[in-house]
Amino acid sequence: MKYKKIVCAVGIVWFSHAAYADSYIQSTLSTLPQFNTALLNNGISLYGVADVGINYQSVGGKTLWQTQSGGVHTSQFGFFGREDLGGGLKAEFNLESGFELNNGSLQTSQTIFDRESWVGLSSTTWGALRVGRQTTANLPEFADPFGEVVTNSVVTWLAGGAVQTRRGIGYNADLGPGSSQVLVRESNAVSWTTPRVGGFGATFLYAFNGTQGVSPYASNQGVVASWTNASLYLATAYNQVWSAPVATASGKQTVRNDIYGVAAIYDVGTFVLSAAFNQVAPNLAGNGIARSYMLGGTLPFGPHALRASIVYRDTSGVRDSAGRPAKDSALGVMLGYDYNLSKRTGLYTRAGFIRNYGISSVILNGTPLPTQPGSTAPEQGTTPLTVSLGMYHKF
C-alpha cells in the first residue's frame, strides 16, 4: 500500500472559499508561494518547500533514530501557470512533485509529479474546472492543526485508518475485505469547484479507475460542500470509493465504501479551534464500520505557535481472527510548537502517540508494529510514539 503524502494542497480551495485577512490559516497559507494569489497573473512560477528533521520513534520496546523529511510541510517543488483569457476566464495548470529531503529520492517511485498534475479553466462566474491528478473532494486538511502530514499527525494515521494486519498495512483493513478510505489525491479525475455565493460553495469530483473490465468505471466520486463567514468554516463531505477487486464470500468483486464527514473550524486569528467526524462504511455484508472523532487547536502568539490534536477511532462489527466480536478502538494525541524565524523559514518540534485497545493495530509515522513471535500478525495493545525536531524553508 502506498501512502499519499499530505500537506497544503487544500489551500487553493481554502483561498477561494475563505479569504479573510484576520484568518490565521489564511495568513499561514499565504506564505506558501503556490497559494499566494498575487504570485502571477500571466506566466509560470516555480515554488516549493524544503523540510527535514531528526525523528525518534518507539513501539513495542523497539526504538528508531533517523532524519526524516516533511515534519510540517511535505518537501516539494512545483510549477504553477496561468493565462488570462479575458472576460474573467483563465487557463491554469499545476505540476507538483514530492521528494524526500533527507536522501533526495522521489516521494513516489517512478512518478515525477505525484502530488498535482492537472490543467483547467477558472472563472469568477462559473468556478474552476480541472482535469488530471488532483486533490479529492473531502474535508479540509486544516481541520487538523498539523495539516494531515504523513509524519507528525495522528489524524493522518488514526482517522485515516492505517491498520496493520497479517497481510500488511491497509486503509481500514480491520473492517473486512475491500475496506478503503478517501485518498488525498486521485489520478484520472475531473472536478468542478463552484463560485462561492452567500458564503456557500462546493466541489464535485469524479475519478475514473482506468482499468479495463473493472466495474464500475469510477474509483472515487465525491462532493464536499461548505459555508464560511469571517471566522467560521463548516464543511460536509460524502464520497463513494471503490476498492480493487478482492476475494469475498460471493467471489472476486470490487467493494464500495461510503464515507461521510463533517468538520468545523473557528479561526479568529488569535486562536483556531477545530472539530471533525468521519465514518467509513464498506458496502459488504460482514464488514465493520469505523468512526473517528477529532478535536484540535492552534494558539499563535508573535513568532510562536502551539498546536494540539486528539483523535479517537472506534469500530463496530469487527471480528478477531477466530471470527468472534472484538473490541477495536484507539486514541491518538499530538502536540507541537513552531518558531517562525521569518515568513518563509521556521523551526518546529512535534511529539505524539497512538494507544491501541483490543485488537486495534493502527501505526504511526509509517513505522510498522512489531509482530507476534513466529507470526506475521502485529502485536496488540501497542502504543507507537514519535518525537521530531526540525526546520523548513519555503521558496
Side-chain angles (χ1 to χ4, degrees):
M1 169 181 170
K2 295 181 179 179
Y3 289 103
K4 310 301 178 184
K5 306 296 184 178
I6 305 172
V7 282
C8 303
V10 74
I12 294 175
V13 175
W14 181 276
F15 264 96
S16 65
H17 287 182
Y20 295 100
D22 57 352
S23 163
Y24 173 74
I25 295 176
Q26 163 83 14
S27 63
T28 300
L29 288 173
S30 67
T31 65
L32 291 168
Q34 68 268 46
F35 303 138
N36 184 345
T37 55
L39 184 64
L40 60 86
N41 290 316
N42 283 283
I44 300 174
S45 294
L46 170 68
Y47 64 87
V49 181
D51 183 320
V52 72
I54 298 173
N55 173 250
Y56 167 81
Q57 296 186 51
S58 173
V59 58
K62 296 182 178 181
T63 61
L64 171 68
W65 284 93
Q66 62 180 348
T67 57
Q68 187 173 58
S69 181
V72 172
H73 305 284
T74 295
S75 295
Q76 61 188 268
F77 67 90
F79 303 92
F80 182 82
R82 178 184 291 131
E83 180 186 12
D84 192 339
L85 302 175
L89 184 66
K90 297 178 181 180
E92 298 176 333
F93 80 90
N94 195 188
L95 301 173
E96 186 174 289
S97 176
F99 63 93
E100 303 295 343
L101 186 63
N102 55 314
N103 59 27
S105 64
L106 289 175
Q107 200 171 74
T108 304
S109 177
Q110 299 182 343
T111 303
I112 297 179
F113 298 113
D114 61 329
R115 294 175 54 81
E116 299 282 341
S117 178
W118 56 263
V119 66
L121 296 170
S122 67
S123 165
T124 54
T125 303
W126 303 106
L129 176 70
R130 295 175 178 174
V131 181
R133 181 167 177 79
Q134 57 190 290
T135 55
T136 49
N138 205 0
L139 299 178
E141 293 164 10
F142 274 91
D144 174 17
F146 301 94
E148 293 189 30
V149 291
V150 80
T151 51
N152 301 309
S153 167
V154 290
V155 175
T156 299
W157 300 98
L158 193 53
V163 175
Q164 182 174 333
T165 68
R166 294 175 182 269
R167 298 181 179 180
I169 300 170
Y171 291 115
N172 295 298
D174 52 346
L175 302 183
S179 300
S180 189
Q181 183 59 274
V182 184
L183 298 180
V184 177
R185 297 170 184 85
E186 281 281 8
S187 299
N188 308 309
V190 180
S191 73
W192 174 52
T193 298
T194 70
R196 186 159 289 273
V197 179
F200 292 92
T203 295
F204 302 84
L205 179 136
Y206 185 96
F208 297 88
N209 64 38
T211 304
Q212 187 177 21
V214 174
S215 180
Y217 295 121
S219 60
N220 168 250
Q221 58 185 16
V223 57
V224 55
S226 61
W227 172 85
T228 187
N229 61 15
S231 57
L232 183 63
Y233 183 93
L234 304 175
T236 181
Y238 171 63
N239 279 264
Q240 292 181 337
V241 176
W242 282 267
S243 71
V246 295
T248 70
S250 303
K252 200 168 187 179
Q253 66 180 88
T254 59
V255 177
R256 191 190 82 203
N257 290 255
D258 296 316
I259 303 171
Y260 311 84
V262 294
I265 303 172
Y266 184 64
D267 181 356
V268 294
T270 54
F271 66 89
V272 183
L273 299 176
S274 58
F277 167 79
N278 190 70
Q279 176 177 287
V280 179
N283 190 19
L284 182 67
N287 277 26
I289 295 175
R291 303 174 185 86
S292 61
Y293 311 82
M294 189 278 294
L295 293 174
T298 303
L299 180 63
F301 52 102
H304 314 276
L306 299 175
R307 305 175 189 273
S309 68
I310 181 169
V311 183
Y312 180 68
R313 179 181 186 264
D314 197 12
T315 63
S316 57
V318 172
R319 298 180 178 273
D320 62 18
S321 57
R324 299 167 299 196
K327 177 178 175 59
D328 181 13
S329 62
L331 176 71
V333 175
M334 182 64 65
L335 303 174
Y337 166 73
D338 300 338
Y339 181 76
N340 296 315
L341 298 171
S342 70
K343 289 185 176 181
R344 295 166 54 192
T345 303
L347 306 175
Y348 63 86
T349 184
R350 300 287 188 264
F353 68 88
I354 292 177
R355 177 70 173 94
N356 285 293
Y357 300 98
I359 66 168
S360 177
S361 54
V362 178
I363 71 170
L364 175 62
N365 203 348
T367 300
L369 305 178
T371 56
Q372 299 175 17
S375 171
T376 59
E379 291 281 2
Q380 297 179 357
T382 57
T383 303
L385 177 146
T386 185
V387 179
S388 294
L389 176 65
M391 173 180 177
Y392 62 81
H393 175 74
K394 310 166 190 175
F395 60 89

